[in-house]
Amino acid sequence: MDFDTGSSDFWVFSTLLPSSESAGHTLYNASASKHSSLESGETWSINYGDGSGASGVIYSDRVVLAGVTATSQAVEAATSVSSAFTSDTQNDGLVGLAFDGLNTASPSKVPTFFQTVQKSLFEPVFASALRHNAAGTYDFGWIDPSKYTGKITYTPVSNSSGYWEITANGYAVGSGATVSESLTSIVDTGTTLIYMPDDLLNAYYSQVNGSSDSSDAGGWIFPCDATLPDISFEIGSKEFTVPGSYINYSPYTDDTCYGGMQSSDGFPFNVLGDVFIKSQYIVWAPTVPQMGFAAP
Ligand SMILES: O=C(Cc1ccccc1)Nn1cnc2ccccc21
């Protein structure tokens, strides 16, 4: 399952899909499930920022995730998924971890998995410890002191959009001075890269010899052996740093690589995606709402 702080639908690949869309996936079969019952009349349909999407019907069923049991969870069973999901055989569904506002169930919204289980947790929080080029973990209901160093810095969250939205006060490229700029950003595990305004990107990639904003590549590329500066974001009164190596996202041609930080131009907000999230231990506290950041 793809744990996704950028959406609020808990949905799964199901036996209701045509085999052309479900090939290679493990399927939820409600009719074979002991505790399932159809939520008659309820449907869902979601579109994500990259144009992918899915839709279907809704059952309630007993769900166990990470050892946490939801005795009656709204399970959104897909009857249709876009090709991006079909080809992503690493995932058989999404666990939406954002706020109510983004849930697409109709005519009545349904709770996310976390909303269903949060009252049963020791603390109403979850935490992400994702890692660069290594398996990561999520903690539900507690904060694991073995996963971070120093103090956790908390910052307020605006959840009116349904996203985990924070405002960074500025940024610094490498060891350079902090540039004050209000960066309204969603913190989104469902988005792979960091998306920031063009002025920040120009300040960053101007420090990378041979970099260019390529229309062919659809963004900033650079020689794969380039030295990439760190990028720090000022959240609250502290700097949170993404190591430069994380910005070397993927090969584009034999010797050029595609940047892990690209333009948010045209987006409704900036996005601190997985490239950022992997550099921190993050506590997600929806009842406040606030988020906490600490170095891993
Ligand atoms: O859709 C978004 C956020 C977004 C990014 C850019 C513009 C508007 C909105 N993230 N996301 C959350 N879950 C996802 C699943 C697939 C793709 C993107 C996903």
Side-chain angles (χ1 to χ4, degrees):
M1 299 294 280
D2 179 4
F3 286 55
D4 180 9
T5 64
S7 69
S8 303
D9 284 52
F10 177 92
W11 70 264
V12 289
F13 275 73
S14 88
T15 49
L16 302 172
L17 283 162
S19 53
S20 58
E21 294 181 13
S22 63
H25 290 271
T26 300
L27 306 178
Y28 171 65
N29 182 350
S31 51
S33 178
K34 191 168 171 225
H35 301 276
S36 68
S37 65
L38 181 71
E39 298 288 326
S40 55
E42 283 280 294
T43 59
W44 60 281
S45 177
I46 193 162
N47 291 298
Y48 299 100
D50 67 350
S52 62
S55 61
V57 295
I58 304 179
Y59 292 86
S60 70
D61 208 336
R62 187 173 181 281
V63 173
V64 181
L65 205 56
V68 179
T69 299
T71 47
S72 177
Q73 171 63 38
V75 178
E76 301 182 13
T79 56
S80 171
V81 299
S82 66
S83 55
F85 285 111
T86 301
S87 48
D88 176 10
T89 51
Q90 293 304 306
N91 287 307
D92 298 316
L94 266 71
V95 182
L97 294 168
F99 298 89
D100 252 354
L102 289 179
N103 180 255
T104 72
S106 172
S108 313
K109 286 184 184 296
V110 293
T112 63
F113 174 78
F114 190 80
Q115 287 164 338
T116 304
V117 301
Q118 94 179 25
K119 50 195 171 297
S120 68
L121 298 176
F122 183 68
E123 282 185 81
V125 300
F126 64 94
S128 59
L130 304 190
R131 289 283 165 272
H132 181 62
N133 291 340
T137 58
Y138 286 92
D139 296 312
F140 283 93
W142 74 301
I143 294 167
D144 184 345
S146 75
K147 291 190 181 146
Y148 67 92
T149 56
K151 281 176 54 59
I152 298 175
T153 299
Y154 286 91
T155 195
V157 159
S158 161
N159 62 5
S160 51
S161 66
Y163 290 106
W164 288 88
E165 185 183 299
I166 64 169
T167 299
N169 312 313
Y171 66 90
V173 176
S175 55
T178 301
V179 176
S180 288
E181 181 174 340
S182 178
L183 297 164
T184 300
S185 309
I186 64 168
V187 189
D188 178 8
T189 59
T191 292
T192 308
L193 307 184
I194 296 170
Y195 294 91
M196 285 288 152
D198 290 331
D199 64 306
L200 185 156
L201 296 182
N202 290 326
Y204 181 82
Y205 287 110
S206 64
Q207 303 302 309
V208 181
N209 291 333
S211 69
S212 66
D213 186 1
S214 156
S215 48
D216 286 0
W220 285 88
I221 55 175
F222 41 80
C224 292
D225 59 3
T227 304
L228 292 161
D230 297 348
I231 176 77
S232 301
F233 296 96
E234 189 185 354
I235 298 170
S237 53
K238 282 188 69 177
E239 296 281 346
F240 293 91
T241 301
V242 181
S245 59
Y246 291 25
I247 305 298
N248 186 336
Y249 173 65
S250 70
Y252 172 63
T253 63
D254 286 357
D255 51 9
T256 60
C257 281
Y258 189 78
M261 185 161 66
Q262 298 293 347
S263 176
S264 61
D265 188 32
F267 287 11
F269 31 63
N270 303 299
V271 187
L272 290 168
D274 295 322
V275 166
F276 169 78
I277 294 166
K278 289 176 177 180
S279 69
Q280 308 297 321
Y281 182 73
I282 302 179
V283 176
W284 310 70
T287 54
V288 183
Q290 67 179 7
M291 296 182 76
F293 298 89

